[in-house]
Amino acid sequence: EDQVTQSPEALRLQEGESSSLNCSYTVSGLRGLFWYRQDPGKGPEFLFTLYSAGEEKEKERLKATLTKKESFLHITAPKPEDSATYLCAVQAFFDDGGANNLFFGTGTRLTVIP
Amino acid sequence: DTGVSQDPRHKITKRGQNVTFRCDPISEHNRLYWYRQTLGQGPEFLTYFQNEAQLEKSRLLSDRFSAERPKGSFSTLEIQRTEQGDSAMYLCASSLAYKPEQYFGPGTRLTVT
């Protein structure tokens, strides 16, 4: 059964204090691993897709990396506007090669203090 | 740039009433997904459509839930005889069939009193 575990559940950082969020996953055949940002009361906002171990993607202060068992979202010199819940999700291949729904973790709630 | 839109954004209803939500996907996207999210949890998959065909339904989707996408464009999600446990954020997402990235709408927050 597909499983996604995110840690920590909550993280408080001072502005400029870099850190990493972890996403451990178990999936029968990984088609993609996704990172989303979600602000309170809003829908998830797509950030990155990673497809294979060793892949890295960057966007502004965020960098996502992928291994065969986990993914990290590194936040460099965060600002208060980076405060949000960061969700990790996996998408598995089906036997027929199709891939459908996303399976989400419970997220990491990040607070960046000025 | 028109993203996924959902209507209404908030719905308060009494237990036992029926409710219907609408989702308009990104115009060129032929896949449309419904998810449900409760407080402190990640979104959970409910069902998805490719064009007008409903191709998969989660075990979470009880008989009181029905979804349609009649012309392969917008979709509706109806909940009959609502229960307090149905209170959640209902999220719609869309994607292209050959690309895995799903783009979410703002959600409809349902409160059942």
Side-chain angles (χ1 to χ4, degrees):
Chain A
E1 182 178 305
D2 299 343
Q3 279 194 321
V4 176
T5 303
Q6 292 190 246
S7 62
E9 288 186 11
L11 182 63
R12 289 172 64 92
L13 298 173
Q14 290 293 132
E15 185 172 359
E17 179 187 0
S18 302
S19 188
S20 296
L21 313 182
N22 177 262
C23 171
S24 298
Y25 66 91
T26 303
V27 64
S28 52
L30 182 70
R31 186 185 187 204
L33 184 140
F34 305 83
W35 283 98
Y36 286 84
R37 170 193 170 126
Q38 187 172 28
D39 292 301
K42 298 189 177 181
E45 174 191 346
F46 171 75
L47 294 174
F48 303 110
T49 309
L50 300 166
Y51 294 102
S52 58
E55 189 174 2
E56 297 182 352
K57 294 266 179 81
E58 282 190 71
K59 179 181 179 180
E60 296 180 355
R61 295 177 292 282
L62 300 177
K63 178 179 172 181
T65 62
L66 181 65
T67 73
K68 288 188 177 180
K69 293 184 178 180
E70 57 192 350
S71 177
F72 293 93
L73 185 65
H74 307 278
I75 303 177
T76 302
K79 298 182 178 182
E81 53 262 41
D82 295 323
S83 297
T85 295
Y86 290 86
L87 295 164
C88 172
V90 297
Q91 191 177 55
F93 278 111
F94 281 74
D95 290 340
D96 63 0
N100 307 310
N101 59 290
L102 300 177
F103 188 86
F104 282 87
T106 54
T108 293
R109 189 172 65 254
L110 175 67
T111 304
V112 182
I113 304 161
Chain B
D1 176 25
T2 54
V4 178
S5 62
Q6 294 187 245
D7 184 70
R9 295 293 309 277
H10 303 275
K11 178 72 177 178
I12 300 174
T13 190
K14 292 186 177 179
R15 189 178 57 188
Q17 298 294 304
N18 299 343
V19 293
T20 300
F21 311 140
R22 176 179 170 127
C23 170
D24 287 88
I26 295 171
S27 58
E28 63 268 28
H29 285 185
N30 49 6
R31 285 194 174 177
L32 186 149
Y33 306 78
W34 286 99
Y35 290 82
R36 180 172 69 189
Q37 185 176 28
T38 54
L39 201 61
Q41 301 297 312
E44 293 177 295
F45 170 74
L46 294 178
T47 188
Y48 99 98
F49 293 83
Q50 178 152 318
N51 300 314
E52 65 275 10
Q54 188 174 17
L55 296 187
E56 188 178 350
K57 291 194 285 188
S58 162
R59 290 188 303 272
L60 292 175
L61 209 66
S62 78
D63 292 345
R64 297 184 296 106
F65 288 68
S66 62
E68 294 184 340
R69 195 182 181 196
K71 296 183 180 178
S73 56
F74 73 91
S75 175
T76 58
L77 177 69
E78 181 183 16
I79 309 174
Q80 295 183 326
R81 304 180 304 281
T82 52
E83 302 172 356
Q84 286 190 318
D86 297 331
S87 295
M89 175 79 90
Y90 289 84
L91 293 162
C92 176
S94 69
S95 75
L96 292 165
Y98 55 88
K99 284 197 158 188
E101 291 82 8
Q102 296 179 19
Y103 296 89
F104 284 81
T108 294
R109 179 162 297 284
L110 173 67
T111 302
V112 181
T113 61

